[in-house]
Amino acid sequence: MNARQLLALEGDGIGPEIMAATLSVLDALRPVLSRKIEITRAQIGFAALREHGSTIPDAVIEAAKAADGVILGPVSHNEYPPKDEGGLNPSGVLRRQLDLYANIRPARLWEGLAAPAQTAMDLVVVRENLEGFYADRNMHMGGGEFMPVPGVALAIRRITEEACLRIARKGFELAAARPEKRVAAIHKANVMRLSDGLFLDVVRSVAAEYPQIAYEEILVDAAAAHLVRNPARFDVLITTNMFGDILSDLASELAGGLGLAGSLNVGPHHVAAQAQHGSAPDIAGKDMANPVSLILSLEMMLRHFGEVTAADRIIAALSICLATAATRTKDLGGELGCTAFTTQMISHIEGTTT
């Protein structure tokens, strides 16, 4: 069997540090992988801009298309120069080029680690990734925002039946494999009757194919309130792009913070594991970064590939390391830097693989 090919893109800020940690964890898991994994590296972000004149050169895009999966570090896209000067958002480009239509973001509590959520919490936000209000999702329409006259700005929201069908099916597939088997469609159809009305019509049609899944529909503002009050109410949330972007961040913060939140972008033929947080340039190079988000994103990718044993080993090792302050990073009330935390994780992984 041929080796599985992964492309590692470090990104900006703390990206090189958390990528090194993540690849070290992957290396420790090699004894339990059912298929060999080979890693190729390439530059994106400011490093690529300096050397190639673009934050994501064409060669990187082609390498991503040729790979089985991409591991994507955080980028500083808000600080990039204009697009015509090479300042593209690498994650946005990869979403479009690889047709990564689903962004899957779990949020769960970790035993022994304090979090704002006051009740049990183990949910997944399944977010449509290629449409909605965001301008970069509507490039083929000339952009999602425009100003016809000074002082007036308009935004276009693109919702299609095909995109709604894909994200609904992905959400119900995930729910069918989870113990609770519940789906909530999050919408604002009381105001955006056409666009969210189309979304709900499609989700309902898919729900009819899964009679074993409990299904409900909740307005996005009510969903935000319920997440704060009782996140245990939710299992799988299916929603459009902007709502999913906001609610997944809320859920992750309730579960302990973006530093503990994995994220997987999924398409028909490609997958990209991506840190859910930003590039944190203020702590870059200081060995202060928390690598858990990218490591959890790797765990999601491995599980997607069917490497269940390896994925379970990551969760087991993280559960041990996060349970006590002595083995946590400083942002979580511990004393460890990125390197020491990774060493602790690997020691637990290797202890179970020998």
Side-chain angles (χ1 to χ4, degrees):
M1 184 179 295
N2 294 332
R4 185 172 279 120
Q5 303 294 323
L6 298 185
L7 177 66
L9 306 174
E10 292 180 343
D12 301 310
I14 61 173
E17 296 165 77
I18 64 172
M19 182 64 74
T22 301
L23 294 182
S24 294
V25 168
L26 177 59
D27 191 58
L29 291 164
R30 291 187 185 278
V32 299
L33 294 175
S34 64
R35 183 174 168 186
K36 183 179 179 182
I37 288 179
E38 295 180 350
I39 305 294
T40 301
R41 299 170 184 262
Q43 289 182 334
I44 57 170
F46 282 117
L49 183 66
R50 288 190 296 269
E51 188 167 338
H52 303 288
S54 172
T55 52
I56 180 164
D58 290 343
V60 174
I61 298 172
E62 294 307 310
K65 290 179 178 179
D68 295 300
V70 177
I71 306 175
L72 180 62
V75 294
S76 303
H77 61 89
N78 290 334
E79 302 169 16
Y80 290 162
K83 292 180 180 179
D84 58 4
E85 297 178 16
L88 303 172
N89 178 0
S91 60
V93 170
L94 289 176
R95 279 193 297 266
R96 295 190 300 273
Q97 291 290 330
L98 303 183
D99 194 21
L100 302 174
Y101 68 88
N103 182 214
I104 302 169
R105 293 186 173 184
R108 53 164 289 184
L109 298 181
W110 295 88
E111 186 175 351
L113 189 62
Q118 298 299 306
T119 64
M121 183 177 186
D122 185 0
L123 60 85
V124 181
V125 177
V126 181
R127 165 194 173 196
E128 202 290 316
N129 214 19
L130 296 176
E131 293 193 333
F133 276 118
Y134 294 164
D136 69 336
R137 277 45 162 209
N138 296 302
M139 297 299 291
H140 58 289
M141 299 171 61
E145 294 183 309
F146 59 98
M147 188 172 287
V149 296
V152 177
L154 302 178
I156 296 173
R157 186 187 196 217
R158 183 174 188 264
I159 301 291
T160 65
E161 182 178 1
E162 178 185 5
C164 294
L165 188 60
R166 292 203 294 181
I167 200 63
R169 284 183 171 154
K170 176 57 67 177
F172 275 92
E173 288 171 6
L174 289 172
R178 290 170 60 85
E180 293 292 322
K181 292 179 170 47
R182 291 183 285 119
V183 162
I186 311 301
H187 67 98
K188 195 65 177 173
N190 61 327
V191 175
M192 293 181 284
R193 297 181 182 274
L194 286 178
S195 56
D196 268 10
L198 173 59
F199 167 74
L200 284 181
D201 286 344
V202 173
V203 178
R204 288 166 186 163
S205 71
V206 175
E209 302 172 7
Y210 289 84
Q212 76 277 25
I213 304 295
Y215 173 69
E216 64 176 332
E217 298 168 358
I218 307 177
L219 292 171
V220 63
D221 43 337
H226 285 300
L227 270 173
V228 173
R229 184 184 307 127
N230 180 27
R233 171 186 178 138
F234 295 105
D235 183 27
V236 174
L237 297 83
I238 302 175
T239 189
T240 51
N241 200 335
M242 181 177 288
F243 295 161
D245 192 6
I246 296 168
L247 290 180
S248 61
D249 276 12
L250 173 59
S252 294
E253 286 299 326
L254 288 169
L258 295 182
L260 298 172
S263 176
L264 192 68
N265 299 287
V266 179
H269 307 293
H270 299 88
V271 61
Q274 180 178 12
Q276 199 173 136
H277 54 73
S279 60
D282 56 319
I283 61 170
K286 299 179 180 179
D287 195 35
M288 295 173 60
N290 177 354
V292 171
S293 177
L294 194 58
I295 291 171
L296 277 173
S297 302
L298 170 68
E299 178 267 331
M300 295 176 69
M301 175 184 280
L302 290 172
R303 203 172 293 278
H304 176 85
F305 287 147
E307 299 286 0
V308 177
T309 300
D312 286 347
R313 295 286 169 86
I314 289 178
I315 296 298
L318 278 175
S319 297
I320 295 171
C321 289
L322 295 177
T324 59
T327 50
R328 296 181 197 144
T329 50
K330 294 179 181 179
D331 61 305
L332 299 176
E335 295 296 327
L336 301 185
C338 183
T339 303
F341 177 84
T342 305
T343 300
Q344 284 286 335
M345 262 206 74
I346 290 172
S347 70
H348 291 296
I349 291 172
E350 291 179 339
T352 60
T353 57
T354 55

